[in-house]
Amino acid sequence: MNIVLIGYMGLEGPGVMHLYHFAHELVRLGHGVFVLLNGDPGSVRLMAEPPAFPVVRLEWQGGMLAPKVAGAVTGFGPQVVHAWTPRNATAHAALEIAQRTSAEIFIHYEDDEDYLYRYAAQDLLANRSLTLESIVRPELWAWQHPLVSTTANHFARGFTAICKPYVERLQREWGKPVHLLYPGVDLERFHPSAPPLPRARFGLEGKTVLSGYSSGAAVSSWPTAARCCSMKSAR
């Protein structure tokens, strides 16, 4: 199967690093992979493993994929296009690729995209013309778009999500298949081989619940981490 993965930024983004490792696993499983980045393809230099697939910058011309990008993706012949988050540029690209190639759309959710939209929407609402202009110039708006992202979700065959509470939420909201896709972990570096440290050393006693969180430190990411961890702990 040929799969196009669309990253919402370059590989300096933790979520796009997940995409990159996922792409390598797909190649190891025998699939063809083509990666589009809404950022610098040269950011692959940040990764220890060189790419085993094309990595191309997402470029636009007249509100559509630039001809060289559209030609490369069409020539690849994808059966699936997987947008890494429903944000404006990735959703826009997924819709166009699906129209050009009949590929089925899947959308990955990792952050609380509704919260991020509300967090940033004051900029969009303060300039309502930006809502319309960012449809034909996707690079103008980084977050999910009230029209473009909703349309992509509507036409999506299904979704992937980073934690079980998010899976359940998407199933309730859209009534479509949602697959749990945890971030990859390098088990050679991160594994429970060391003896546990005594809780008292950190002033933690009894049944105090500890929740681990691995991601960027942006304030806008905290609600997602808190929600996933607290719902998991409550169970």
Side-chain angles (χ1 to χ4, degrees), residues 7 38 40 87 138 152 161 169 179 183 201 207 209 216 220 222 229-230:
N38 189 36
D40 180 15
R87 297 177 191 176
R169 172 179 161 183
H179 303 274
R201 177 175 171 181
K207 296 182 178 180
V209 176
S220 56
W222 293 352
C229 291
S230 62

Side-chain angles (χ1 to χ4, degrees), residues 89-129:
T90 54
H92 196 295
L95 286 166
E96 183 177 340
I97 292 168
Q99 184 178 30
R100 287 177 177 272
T101 65
S102 299
E104 293 184 327
I105 297 174
F106 286 82
I107 300 175
H108 181 63
Y109 278 80
E110 55 185 26
D111 292 312
D112 187 336
E113 295 296 335
D114 291 338
Y115 173 82
L116 289 173
Y117 173 71
R118 292 192 301 270
Y119 188 82
Q122 54 189 335
D123 296 330
L124 192 65
L125 297 175
N127 182 4
R128 294 190 178 184
S129 64

Side-chain angles (χ1 to χ4, degrees), residues 2 6 27 37 57 77 83 99 115 159 174 177 213 221:
N2 286 345
I6 311 172
V27 170
L37 294 181
R57 183 189 292 272
Q99 184 178 30
Y115 173 82
F159 305 95
W174 293 97
Y213 176 58
S221 298

